[in-house]
Amino acid sequence: MRPCTLATAALFAAALATALPAGAVDSLRNLAQSAGIRFGTAVNVEALNTDAAYARLLAREFNLVTPENALKFSVVQPERGRFDFTQADALVAFAEAHRMQVNGHVLVWDQQLPDWLTQGHFSPDELKAILHEHIRTLVTRYRGRVASWDVAAEAVGEDGKPRETFWSRGIGPDYLALAFRWAHEADPRARLRYNDYGGEGAGAKSDGIYTLVADLRVHRVPIDAVGLQMHVGLNDAPRPEDVRLNMKRLAALGLETDVTEMDVMLQLPADRADLKAQAGLYRAMLQACLAVPLCRSFSTWGATDHYSWIPEFFPGRGAALLFDMDGHPKPAYYSVRRLLRRAAESSPAIE
Ligand code: 9MR
């Protein structure tokens, strides 16, 4: 979409936003708030700007939003030194109009990098300068408006060892510590997070993530939280009990946790039994989070099945989220809501 069209669409979304209800009493966001956590989703900003029903659904049900792609390196700095915040600005404005928190995603990742960067043959010092400038520019722009940042993501391999990435190759092993320090310098009050998949429960990767963040803590690197992505299927999800224990051991390091990107992909077309099993998994993972005081939020990687990354990446699979293709609640939505209501009845509210 051309910038002027996007800007017009953003204005439309903002105007529409003021007419929306700030979450019905029984919405996920309101129940979650009473239960002491935030309930979030990744947001497709193009859809936010063009699909009024989607915007209404987001405003009603969620109080935490993560731009699904709008702040990724190739989107936000498509050419060296030229930053494009059109989409991210639209999302932050929408979030502010609806009293939602924003999680910035993602500063150091080795996907969605622009060609000028990956093919630029930069020296370690040049790459450090580029990354520093990138982090400083993004975090400063949204200081006080983006409450937390995924500073780094997916830096640990399946074997638990640090993964070799574009950044580790180009800068060396201290790129992670540097990134957290630079983000902290740019906004000392932002909550800084490490975010990964496949290490939510027990196992080598979970241990590797634990070792990595423990080491950052020992070296007084400003890290506040660990994000557990939770992209799962019905047969490969971690045991909820292991997720709880993992959250607890991270809490013992002084780290908060979040479920950051949950979705449960199903074989299409999804049948009733699968939708029921899916509901059970969402419920169990939410329950693990609710059981650990330092687990602060629970987010799904998209709101409706219509705007989910799964069918494109896993042909024949999908139906992974809480709302169906038409934005109607699925069994998983009702399970999550019931559990939040129960938790809300026995828990103090957060600010
Ligand atoms: O959902 C995102 C999709 O639209 C992008 O094409 C993709 C690019 O790799 O990234 C997806 O989001 C990822 C997130 O940024 C990091 N964790 C895994 C998510 C799913 O791949």
Side-chain angles (χ1 to χ4, degrees):
M1 196 181 282
R2 284 178 297 116
C4 61
T5 324
L6 239 182
T8 318
L11 281 176
F12 165 74
L16 179 91
T18 53
L20 297 172
V25 179
D26 238 13
S27 65
L28 300 181
R29 64 179 283 170
N30 285 348
L31 293 170
Q33 181 173 347
S34 304
I37 65 166
R38 282 183 181 269
F39 206 92
T41 179
V43 174
N44 176 325
V45 180
E46 297 235 330
L48 175 70
N49 288 328
T50 52
D51 180 342
Y54 174 68
R56 266 198 304 277
L57 176 68
L58 296 182
R60 193 182 73 220
E61 298 289 350
F62 302 95
N63 58 6
L64 169 63
V65 285
T66 298
E68 183 171 356
N69 289 303
L71 278 171
K72 287 177 180 170
F73 210 121
S74 60
V75 176
V76 91
Q77 197 182 164
E79 290 164 35
R80 187 168 183 185
R82 182 172 74 77
F83 290 85
D84 182 350
F85 291 108
T86 319
Q87 291 203 8
D89 282 355
L91 179 61
V92 172
F94 179 81
E96 286 175 344
H98 295 287
R99 296 180 289 108
M100 296 160 145
Q101 220 175 60
V102 182
N103 172 62
H105 176 89
V106 46
L107 298 173
V108 185
W109 193 35
D110 73 345
Q111 288 188 41
Q112 283 171 293
L113 298 173
D115 289 348
W116 68 260
L117 178 61
T118 54
Q119 287 162 33
H121 304 289
F122 295 110
S123 70
D125 280 348
E126 283 172 322
L127 271 186
K128 269 191 210 169
I130 288 168
L131 186 58
H132 190 176
E133 176 67 3
H134 185 79
I135 292 176
R136 200 179 53 75
T137 305
L138 269 63
V139 178
T140 306
R141 181 180 184 88
Y142 296 111
R143 186 160 45 205
R145 300 175 75 199
V146 164
S148 70
W149 280 96
D150 285 330
V151 175
E154 304 175 10
V156 174
E158 302 306 311
D159 58 0
K161 302 209 174 80
R163 219 159 54 78
E164 196 185 292
T165 69
F166 171 76
W167 297 110
S168 71
R169 273 193 305 275
I171 294 181
D174 60 342
Y175 76 103
L176 286 172
L178 288 171
F180 278 95
R181 293 194 198 286
W182 290 331
H184 183 67
E185 266 166 34
D187 184 356
R189 300 183 65 177
R191 174 177 182 262
L192 304 183
R193 186 162 82 185
Y194 173 78
N195 186 32
D196 212 332
Y197 66 88
E200 296 87 358
K205 183 153 180 184
S206 165
D207 290 348
I209 294 168
Y210 177 84
T211 304
L212 172 78
V213 297
D215 188 58
L216 293 174
R217 293 285 287 176
V218 165
H219 290 94
R220 298 185 175 280
V221 173
I223 174 173
D224 302 295
V226 176
L228 311 179
Q229 293 186 13
M230 203 69 79
H231 294 287
V232 298
L234 290 182
N235 300 317
D236 63 2
R239 290 175 50 214
E241 173 62 4
D242 290 338
V243 174
R244 190 178 66 80
L245 291 173
N246 191 30
M247 288 172 167
K248 279 189 71 172
R249 71 172 171 167
L250 291 165
L253 294 174
L255 291 166
E256 298 183 343
T257 44
D258 305 279
V259 173
T260 53
E261 306 186 6
M262 184 155 179
D263 46 24
V264 182
M265 68 165 98
L266 303 179
Q267 192 71 48
L268 295 176
D271 63 26
R272 282 178 58 164
D274 283 356
L275 289 169
K276 203 172 155 209
Q278 178 183 59
L281 266 184
Y282 270 108
R283 185 185 191 286
M285 298 309 172
L286 175 60
Q287 195 157 31
C289 174
L290 289 168
V292 179
L294 286 191
C295 182
R296 301 294 195 197
S297 72
F298 188 98
S299 292
T300 55
W301 202 240
T304 75
D305 290 337
H306 187 70
Y307 299 115
S308 162
W309 69 293
I310 298 286
E312 189 192 332
F313 284 73
F314 299 93
R317 292 176 188 243
L321 295 166
L322 301 182
F323 297 88
D324 69 14
M325 295 294 278
D326 301 316
H328 296 132
K330 293 159 62 180
Y333 171 83
Y334 293 110
S335 288
V336 161
R337 196 171 70 173
R338 264 195 310 277
L339 179 57
L340 286 174
R341 193 181 294 125
R342 182 130 62 80
E345 283 161 9
S346 56
S347 175
I350 53 165
E351 280 302 296

